[in-house]
Amino acid sequence: VPAIDDDARADLDDLLDQVLAGRRRALARVLTTVEDGDPERLRHVVGRLHPLGGTARILGITGSPGVGKSTLTNAVAAHLRSLDRTVGVIAVDPSSPFSGGALLGDRVRMQGHHADEGVYIRSMAARGHLGGLSLATPQAVMVLDAAGFDDVVVETVGVGQSEVEVAATADTTVVVMAPGMGDSIQAAKAGVLEVADVFAVNKADQSGAGKLESELRGMLEMGHAAGAVGGEGTWWPPIVRTVAVRGEGIPELVAAIDEHGDHLAATGRADDLRVRRAEQVVAQLVLDRVRQRVAGDGDAADALAAASRQVADRSLDPYAAADRVLDMLDHRARDGA
Ligand SMILES: Nc1nc2c(ncn2[C@@H]2O[C@H](COP(=O)(O)OP(=O)(O)O)[C@@H](O)[C@H]2O)c(=O)[nH]1
Ligand SMILES: [Mg+2]
């Protein structure tokens, strides 16, 4: 990655100074850099901010569309503010930028905190990013962490891979469910049970909340009985009933999150999580660079094109093809080209 020129660097440094001084507009611009993924600017941002992070508690809130994640996030943020903690929120929508309406809806709903300097809410999409949201999300978290927020909350729609990704980004992952959405059955399928540190059964004001909770409890106990988890120092995910629209159950939910944090600290797992998180980002950057090298090297790009044609007509298998492309990159590295 080439370095940015001196003028651009000076401007960016000025912007980062403003972020560290708590300026919201500067923060918004830096998060746009994270979203757009301009590699030169981003590298400078990360280089300067990364050493300053590592103090925020990172919470993931995930679940199916419509279960009340945004409402719950809003209520959790309000409760954390009442405890005098500052809160940064990243609402990730993998389907953006084509869902402007939904994003706007989220913004409007979350605007209860508009005048409060201690809370910052940002909807985010991955636009130019090679690594997509799996890179943009932890980098946005890092920016809010460095900016000094006590808590950083990441809201993601639970579709496929994203629960796993949010779990890799968060210290504590809250899986939100709601009655009447067939959620308990979905949970078993999507592997949500494994990533949840805390369950929120939201919309507890609606019928079926009790049934959902007991189904969930049954499923967790079955997991325990099957020995999927267990032993000394095991964390049993608590189930908390909430009515996010009325703020009910929110103090209990935050207490459960606090308890999980204490558990992480007591068992030394907090440090493991940090290493795992770092590894995910580094591995993603390595993959991006390999991809960039192939694209930016005429011979490697030609080798990829030629090998792909052979794979298509069955004269080469995909593994052998990958070997050829990687060999080309290795030669380049050895020749110093
Ligand atoms: N009855 C009821 N409705 C809720 C509750 N929490 C959220 N909702 C409503 O459920 C809908 C979806 O909420 P939203 O937060 O956008 O869900 P998300 O898609 O998971 O972020 C909205 O109309 C909310 O007002 C709750 O506790 N009870
Ligand atoms: Mg939402």
Side-chain angles (χ1 to χ4, degrees):
V1 179
I4 50 174
D5 70 47
D6 289 346
D7 282 353
R9 178 190 297 258
D11 284 351
L12 196 49
D13 277 333
D14 183 48
L15 192 65
L16 293 172
D17 288 339
Q18 290 182 45
V19 168
L20 298 177
R23 301 274 165 68
R24 291 295 184 257
R25 190 171 299 182
L27 181 57
R29 284 185 56 198
V30 169
L31 288 171
T32 299
T33 293
V34 168
E35 242 178 348
D36 290 343
D38 177 279
E40 301 170 27
R41 284 172 61 83
L42 195 48
R43 185 177 186 140
H44 190 65
V45 167
V46 172
R48 261 204 73 193
L49 295 188
H50 181 263
L52 304 175
T55 55
R57 171 172 68 173
I58 304 165
L59 307 178
I61 295 188
T62 192
S64 306
V67 293
K69 295 179 298 299
S70 295
T71 314
L72 196 72
T73 298
N74 200 42
V76 165
H79 184 68
L80 291 169
R81 287 300 295 136
S82 78
L83 301 174
D84 218 21
R85 295 177 67 87
T86 56
V87 189
V89 176
I90 297 164
V92 179
D93 188 338
S95 64
S96 290
F98 305 108
S99 62
L103 285 179
L104 191 64
D106 277 351
R107 278 203 188 107
V108 170
R109 197 165 307 132
M110 286 179 160
Q111 255 170 11
H113 306 292
H114 195 66
D116 181 1
E117 279 287 300
V119 75
Y120 178 83
I121 294 163
R122 166 82 176 214
S123 289
M124 222 180 56
R127 289 197 286 258
H129 240 286
L130 273 173
L133 287 166
S134 61
L135 200 48
T137 303
Q139 282 176 340
V141 168
M142 185 274 294
V143 171
L144 294 179
D145 183 355
F149 289 98
D150 297 321
D151 290 301
V152 176
V153 185
V154 182
E155 179 201 336
T156 48
V157 183
V159 280
Q161 192 57 20
S162 78
E163 285 107 347
V164 180
E165 279 172 7
V166 79
T169 297
D171 294 316
T172 298
T173 299
V174 178
V175 170
V176 188
M177 296 185 174
M181 308 194 72
D183 245 321
S184 58
I185 296 129
Q186 239 167 287
K189 276 194 203 139
V192 161
L193 294 182
E194 282 83 68
V195 303
D197 299 308
V198 176
F199 286 99
V201 172
N202 191 42
K203 305 194 185 184
D205 54 324
Q206 295 186 346
S207 65
K211 184 164 169 277
L212 173 59
E213 184 181 338
S214 55
E215 276 176 14
L216 187 56
R217 211 171 281 289
M219 219 177 297
L220 285 173
E221 274 158 19
M222 247 161 53
H224 298 172
V229 285
E232 194 108 21
T234 299
W235 173 257
W236 308 113
I239 303 171
V240 183
R241 281 208 217 183
T242 57
V243 184
V245 278
R246 296 204 296 254
E248 288 173 21
I250 303 302
E252 291 79 3
L253 179 62
V254 170
I257 291 167
D258 288 346
E259 237 172 87
H260 181 251
D262 292 344
H263 166 82
L264 288 180
T267 55
R269 282 205 46 232
D271 294 332
D272 294 347
L273 274 175
R274 275 167 206 276
V275 175
R276 250 193 24 213
R277 205 140 70 202
E279 187 180 317
Q280 212 202 14
V281 171
V282 175
Q284 186 66 56
L285 286 172
V286 170
L287 287 176
D288 281 358
R289 287 235 209 135
V290 169
R291 216 172 284 147
Q292 276 166 347
R293 273 208 220 163
V294 171
D297 178 313
D299 289 340
D302 288 348
L304 174 63
S308 301
R309 272 193 298 276
Q310 286 184 269
V311 170
D313 73 20
R314 310 277 147 176
S315 62
L316 194 67
D317 76 74
Y319 286 87
D323 285 344
R324 278 195 197 172
V325 177
L326 288 172
D327 281 348
M328 190 65 77
L329 289 182
D330 286 345
H331 281 302
R332 280 271 179 260
R334 259 200 304 282
D335 299 348

